[in-house]
Amino acid sequence: DYNQDGVGLFQFEQWLAHEQMDSCVGHAAANGVDLYLDLPIGVHPEGYDTWQFRDAFVHDVATGAPPDIVFTTGQKWGSPPIHPTAIRKRHYDYVRAYLAHHMRAARMLRIDHVMGLHRMFCIPDGADAAQGTYLRYRPAEWYAMLNIESHRHQTVLVGEDLGLVPREVRRSMTRHGLNSMFVLYYELDGIAAGKPPALPRACLASLNTHDMPPFAAMWQGLDICQHAGVGIVERDQVPSLKHSRTKAMREFTRLLREVCSDIDDNHGLETMLRCALKWLGSSPAKYVVVNIEDLWEETVQQNTPGVGAAYPSWQHRAAMTLEQAWQNSSLRATLEALRRAMRNGH
């Protein structure tokens, strides 16, 4: 059941969004700019997709992830998983439609939680994030759809392969031409232990993602207390985590001397950020992405997945507009340093 009077409003809003996206794509293409977009892992359980394509989803369960080194209590995202049998009987029509829809605009598309092509961690309604089980899919068929649409739209694919990812998944990504991800935040434990990370060539490298603390918060360890406040880590773990973070930043500073020979612990955040980006840019990584909020030393995390109302995700306003950011000489200098590092490194 639905309110017929409200349908027109939603159609109008959707039309506006479509017009804005088309305008953005056209303007970007006219200026030689390609768009890097994100394919989310799921949709709202009460949204249009689950209403229109009801048999394409498994209801009364939510997708998520088991505990890992970053989200130690697991994650519960709230979106219903796609039904592996029902969607196959429909010849994957819904999947093919949303892939094509994204790739019409994206020259690079990040596949969120790429392990979901193989299996999805599902949590029954009312259960905690760690109390789930895996729902398995037919990955060869999913990779086939991705490759077909990628070829058709000339879209580069990136698989978000962070956290607990079986080797089988990364082997499949390599076989089917998906780039992997390297994220500094996920390498901190290894760096603290004195193990310099190795960046593969076929990867998209970054300091963090939209689901992680900004660089300034990571560098100062502010995220540890923030995460304890929303239940991602236990409060009695905070002292040891802070000690490990201090050690990781000290070891990372040593790595940064490869590109900034005179750097030490006394340099400010701007210098550290610039050197960190130069380090990524001079690595073998084929692509590097920068969180724009890192450029003005933001400390508030934009999104904390899996904690529900415990954190106001996607509600924090940016400190600058895009126009203001582009006119900022310091920000432009940081980006130019990254460009030079990538040109020299490749």
Side-chain angles (χ1 to χ4, degrees):
D1 192 18
Y2 62 93
N3 182 359
Q4 183 62 47
D5 293 337
V7 171
L9 175 62
F10 284 108
Q11 289 177 328
F12 177 66
E13 291 172 340
Q14 190 65 38
W15 173 76
L16 285 178
H18 176 76
E19 290 287 297
Q20 290 173 348
M21 196 67 200
D22 272 4
S23 175
C24 179
V25 171
H27 181 71
N31 288 276
V33 175
D34 295 330
L35 296 183
Y36 164 59
L37 302 181
D38 186 73
L39 180 71
I41 190 60
V43 296
H44 197 287
E46 298 176 5
Y48 174 80
D49 294 50
T50 51
W51 177 83
Q52 177 67 22
F53 305 97
R54 300 176 199 198
D55 61 343
F57 297 91
V58 181
H59 300 277
D60 301 320
V61 295
T63 56
D68 63 21
I69 60 173
V70 173
F71 298 96
T72 58
T73 57
Q75 301 177 62
K76 189 174 182 179
W77 303 322
S79 57
I82 287 180
H83 197 300
T85 304
I87 199 68
R88 196 169 187 253
K89 289 180 179 178
R90 297 173 60 110
H91 308 290
Y92 293 99
D93 55 351
Y94 169 65
V95 177
R96 290 185 288 111
Y98 71 63
L99 288 176
H101 184 68
H102 278 74
M103 292 189 201
R104 277 195 293 268
R107 294 287 67 79
M108 177 180 285
L109 185 65
R110 172 188 182 268
I111 311 301
D112 191 23
H113 195 64
V114 71
M115 194 180 75
L117 303 177
H118 297 249
R119 66 185 190 185
M120 185 63 70
F121 192 69
C122 298
I123 306 154
D125 286 354
D128 293 333
Q131 298 174 317
T133 189
Y134 282 102
L135 184 65
R136 297 188 178 275
Y137 296 92
R138 295 175 173 81
E141 297 173 4
W142 285 77
Y143 282 111
M145 287 184 289
L146 279 168
N147 286 162
I148 289 169
E149 294 300 334
S150 170
H151 180 75
R152 180 176 291 154
H153 297 281
Q154 295 298 291
T155 299
V156 174
L157 298 178
V158 176
E160 188 267 291
D161 56 341
L162 305 174
L164 302 173
V165 180
R167 292 180 181 177
E168 167 202 355
V169 175
R170 292 198 171 100
R171 284 197 296 263
S172 295
M173 289 173 60
T174 300
R175 188 162 63 248
H176 294 284
L178 274 70
N179 294 277
S180 64
M181 291 188 70
F182 172 90
V183 177
L184 175 66
Y185 191 73
Y186 258 96
E187 305 294 329
L188 293 180
D189 283 352
I191 292 173
K195 301 175 183 176
L199 281 72
R201 172 164 171 72
C203 83
L204 177 85
S206 65
L207 301 174
N208 46 43
T209 74
H210 56 270
D211 296 332
M212 298 176 190
F215 180 82
M218 178 197 77
W219 192 270
Q220 299 172 89
L222 303 178
D223 57 300
I224 296 172
C225 290
Q226 293 170 357
H227 286 178
V230 296
I232 291 177
V233 299
E234 301 295 337
R235 289 194 178 276
D236 60 1
Q237 295 177 303
V238 168
S240 63
L241 289 173
K242 285 186 174 182
H243 175 74
S244 178
R245 179 66 56 80
T246 300
K247 188 175 180 181
M249 294 301 95
R250 189 183 305 119
E251 292 296 325
F252 185 54
T253 300
R254 293 178 184 174
L255 293 178
L256 294 184
R257 294 193 182 115
E258 298 173 8
V259 293
C260 298
S261 58
D262 61 342
I263 197 170
D264 59 37
D265 297 339
N266 297 319
H267 281 86
L269 272 170
E270 182 179 333
T271 300
M272 292 298 187
L273 171 66
R274 197 167 295 179
C275 289
L277 292 177
K278 286 173 66 176
W279 180 74
L280 287 181
S282 60
S283 74
K286 193 172 183 180
Y287 309 102
V288 177
V289 65
V290 184
N291 176 359
I292 191 170
E293 292 183 319
D294 283 339
L295 299 175
W296 57 70
E297 300 178 12
E298 180 62 71
T299 58
V300 177
Q301 188 166 332
Q302 186 61 259
N303 180 47
T304 303
V307 298
Y311 188 83
S313 293
W314 302 118
Q315 297 179 38
H316 180 66
R317 293 193 63 164
M320 294 185 186
T321 65
L322 292 177
E323 291 77 12
Q324 289 170 337
W326 188 241
Q327 292 167 6
N328 186 294
S329 59
S330 177
L331 270 61
R332 291 171 67 99
T334 298
L335 292 176
E336 184 55 36
L338 172 60
R339 289 193 191 96
R340 286 197 303 270
M342 293 191 71
R343 285 197 295 266
N344 295 335
H346 296 76

